[in-house]
Amino acid sequence: MNESDSTPRIGQIVLINKGRDAGQFAVIIQHIDERFVLIADGDKRKFDSPKKKNIQHLKCYNYVSTEVRDSIKEANRVTNGKLRWALGKFVEEVKDVLEKGDGFDGERGCN
């Protein structure tokens, strides 16, 4: 699968737009096909029971957690703690950028 700007990537942070978890952040942990991915947040959605989501129901951010990506590539899994840590780090970085008034330009569509 080619990693163009519109292709969701393993370790990428997403915002859920549709469904019960709308408004929450998660991390892409696996590609199923061109329409679906598996996401987890390490809290409500653990790595061992991820949520299958249509990429059209997600807002992808131009932010990939290298720690999560590398862990999945090396061990074929990631700890729930690392997922929570990656999401917390992302939220802190976005908050810092917004507080400085620079504007956050890391949003882009998944499709």
Side-chain angles (χ1 to χ4, degrees):
M1 183 176 270
N2 124 7
E3 288 194 357
S4 71
D5 273 351
S6 63
T7 303
R9 295 168 285 170
I10 302 296
Q12 188 169 17
I13 306 295
V14 297
L15 177 66
I16 303 167
N17 285 333
K18 304 270 184 180
R20 176 181 304 190
D21 299 326
Q24 296 179 12
F25 292 106
V27 182
I28 295 175
I29 60 169
Q30 183 182 336
H31 289 277
I32 296 174
D33 57 30
E34 65 279 345
R35 281 188 56 206
F36 292 97
V37 293
L38 293 180
I39 60 171
D41 64 8
D43 185 22
K44 282 195 243 174
R45 286 284 172 193
K46 309 281 189 198
F47 177 82
D48 292 327
S49 59
K51 176 72 175 166
K52 179 181 175 183
K53 287 298 277 187
N54 185 325
I55 60 171
Q56 293 181 339
H57 297 168
L58 302 172
K59 177 187 285 184
C60 290
Y61 288 90
N62 195 18
Y63 183 100
V64 175
S65 170
T66 55
E67 294 85 1
V68 170
R69 182 192 64 205
D70 294 346
S71 182
I72 290 174
K73 280 185 177 179
E74 292 168 13
N76 217 20
R77 67 173 292 112
V78 65
T79 64
N80 291 312
K82 194 173 282 188
L83 289 171
R84 291 189 302 269
W85 176 83
L87 289 168
K89 182 178 172 191
F90 170 75
V91 168
E92 282 300 311
E93 287 185 21
V94 170
K95 191 172 85 173
D96 288 347
V97 169
L98 292 177
E99 285 174 356
K100 290 177 187 170
D102 296 337
F104 183 68
D105 63 352
E107 294 181 21
R108 65 179 177 75
C110 286
N111 47 359

